[in-house]
Amino acid sequence: MITFFNPTCNGPLGWLCVGITALFGVTVLCTAKRSPVGKENILVWSLLPVLLGLLCVAMLGTGVGLVVFCTSCLVSSMYLSSTVLLPVGDKAVLITGSDTGIGHALAKYLDSLGFVVFAGVLNKDGPGAKELRRACSQRLSLLQLDVTNAKQVKEAFLKVSEKVQNTGLWGVVNNAGILGFPADGELLPVSTYRMCMEVNFFGAVEVSKTFLSLLRKSRGRLVNMSSMAGGIPLPRYAAYGASKAALAMFSGVMRQELSKWGIKVAAIHPSGFRTGIQGTSDMWDKQEKELIENLPEDTRHAYGDEYLLGLKSYLLHMPAYCDANLSPVLNAVLHALLAKRPHGLYTPGKGAYLPLCIFCCFPLWFYDFFISKMMSSQPVPRALRTSEAESKNH
């Protein structure tokens, strides 16, 4: 028979349970009040342990029920502590690569929340910069910032230092990045590897090292935009993935080293978002021409012109498989900037979990098999098609 919970009948343990419930409820309400986002999730996470605990007390008795209830409150409190966001106030954030894509959307988003935004752009007179001037408040400042240009990085530092003065800079978001031309690693010219490393890795390192003195003043945040391709191996992303993997490792080491200064470091690994990073048709034509012209004759013959020319179609169809809604990425960056306890790694995007779980939890041969099946619709090099045809004939 179920005996419903009555604190009077259950003695001191019953009143202890009531006290814990009240304390937890007050904590949740204070948390929800301070947090500018995610109030719905907070209320859900507050009600679940209370209902679970009371049900356990009613069915299992006060002693066992209280243990279960306290455990559920502890788990819920750990989650709630990660949802508490600091007030925006007059916090200043530098974002690189704000011309297009995630950087552009992030500059608008943070500006709308009240941040003082320094938007670094590759072209201060380009359409992206003009749109930021039109759509954002007077708090936003545009900076001419090519992250591969040490002089421009230094000039940007001086301009930001002049504006933030003794308060320091709260956040640096290393977002600037390039994709290059997705192709087999054997086909990519070394210049593509160098270009990806210069922008995606060395550029982020240059900006980080230059602005760390301002982050130290505010005990702020360093956020690096890596990629799912930097965490797991993906075909056709040898150059891009290697540069993002280097950035991810840099983020991990800096997270450990900068913690003594009170600076928190996070890496964002988005997957499957439509950002425009793949570039324009003219850029593809130029990169395709460079790729084909620099191939050794035997390599070009083995792959065949049909395979090589088909690489561009992969780029053309890529946006169709990507999510146009960048909100998960923007929310991840916001959490990394404002959470009292930010995560070291964020993986926004629905497509990230399955391949990431398989890569981490299964043997490598199974992961390789899984990826090969995902890529099975891609064209086959000429030499392999010829050998397959010959084996069938025999």
Side-chain angles (χ1 to χ4, degrees), residues 24 27-29 31-35 37-48 76 79-80 83-84:
F24 182 72
T27 303
V28 168
L29 289 175
T31 299
K33 187 176 180 180
R34 292 197 302 267
S35 181
V37 295
K39 293 182 173 62
E40 299 82 1
N41 289 336
I42 289 175
L43 293 176
V44 169
W45 273 83
S46 65
L47 288 174
L48 282 177
S76 186
Y79 168 80
L80 290 173
T83 65
V84 176

Side-chain angles (χ1 to χ4, degrees), residues 191-241:
S191 60
T192 299
Y193 286 91
R194 290 199 177 103
M195 182 172 61
C196 284
M197 290 298 292
E198 283 293 333
V199 178
N200 300 343
F201 177 62
F202 290 118
V205 172
E206 181 82 30
V207 171
S208 299
K209 285 172 60 63
T210 302
F211 283 88
L212 271 175
S213 60
L214 296 181
L215 291 182
R216 203 176 348 262
K217 287 182 179 180
S218 63
R219 297 169 67 90
R221 310 291 170 90
L222 175 63
V223 182
N224 293 318
M225 195 68 65
S226 185
S227 167
M228 184 176 72
I232 58 176
L234 294 172
R236 298 189 174 178
Y237 292 100
Y240 177 75

Side-chain angles (χ1 to χ4, degrees), residues 9-85:
C9 298
N10 288 273
L13 286 176
W15 286 111
L16 179 60
C17 188
V18 171
I20 292 174
T21 304
L23 181 62
F24 182 72
V26 171
T27 303
V28 168
L29 289 175
C30 292
T31 299
K33 187 176 180 180
R34 292 197 302 267
S35 181
V37 295
K39 293 182 173 62
E40 299 82 1
N41 289 336
I42 289 175
L43 293 176
V44 169
W45 273 83
S46 65
L47 288 174
L48 282 177
V50 171
L51 294 175
L52 175 63
L54 294 177
L55 182 62
C56 288
V57 169
M59 298 187 67
L60 302 176
T62 306
V64 178
L66 185 58
V67 171
V68 174
F69 177 60
C70 290
T71 303
S72 64
C73 284
L74 178 63
V75 172
S76 186
S77 295
M78 291 173 64
Y79 168 80
L80 290 173
S81 66
S82 71
T83 65
V84 176
L85 300 185

Side-chain angles (χ1 to χ4, degrees), residues 12 35 69 71 85 87 91 123 134 146 152 184 201 248 275-276 316 332 336 338 340 353 360 380 387:
S35 181
F69 177 60
T71 303
L85 300 185
K91 289 181 174 61
N123 183 0
R134 184 196 66 79
D146 178 351
Q152 288 190 13
D184 300 60
F201 177 62
T275 64
L316 292 170
L338 289 184
K340 284 189 175 182
Y353 297 107
C360 295
V380 179
S387 62

Side-chain angles (χ1 to χ4, degrees), residues 102-174:
I102 292 173
H104 186 83
L106 183 62
K108 287 183 175 179
Y109 180 53
L110 296 186
D111 176 75
S112 70
L113 294 176
F115 282 89
V116 176
V117 177
F118 296 97
V121 292
L122 192 59
N123 183 0
K124 205 173 178 180
D125 298 317
K130 290 178 181 177
E131 171 61 17
L132 289 177
R133 288 193 190 96
R134 184 196 66 79
C136 296
S137 71
Q138 294 298 313
R139 291 188 304 274
L140 184 138
S141 301
L142 285 168
L143 301 173
Q144 177 62 46
L145 183 55
D146 178 351
V147 297
T148 65
N149 187 321
K151 182 181 178 182
Q152 288 190 13
V153 174
K154 187 63 178 178
E155 289 173 351
F157 171 77
L158 294 175
K159 290 178 181 178
V160 172
S161 299
E162 184 180 355
K163 288 202 173 186
V164 300
Q165 297 184 354
N166 293 329
T167 59
L169 184 66
W170 177 256
V172 171
V173 181
N174 282 309

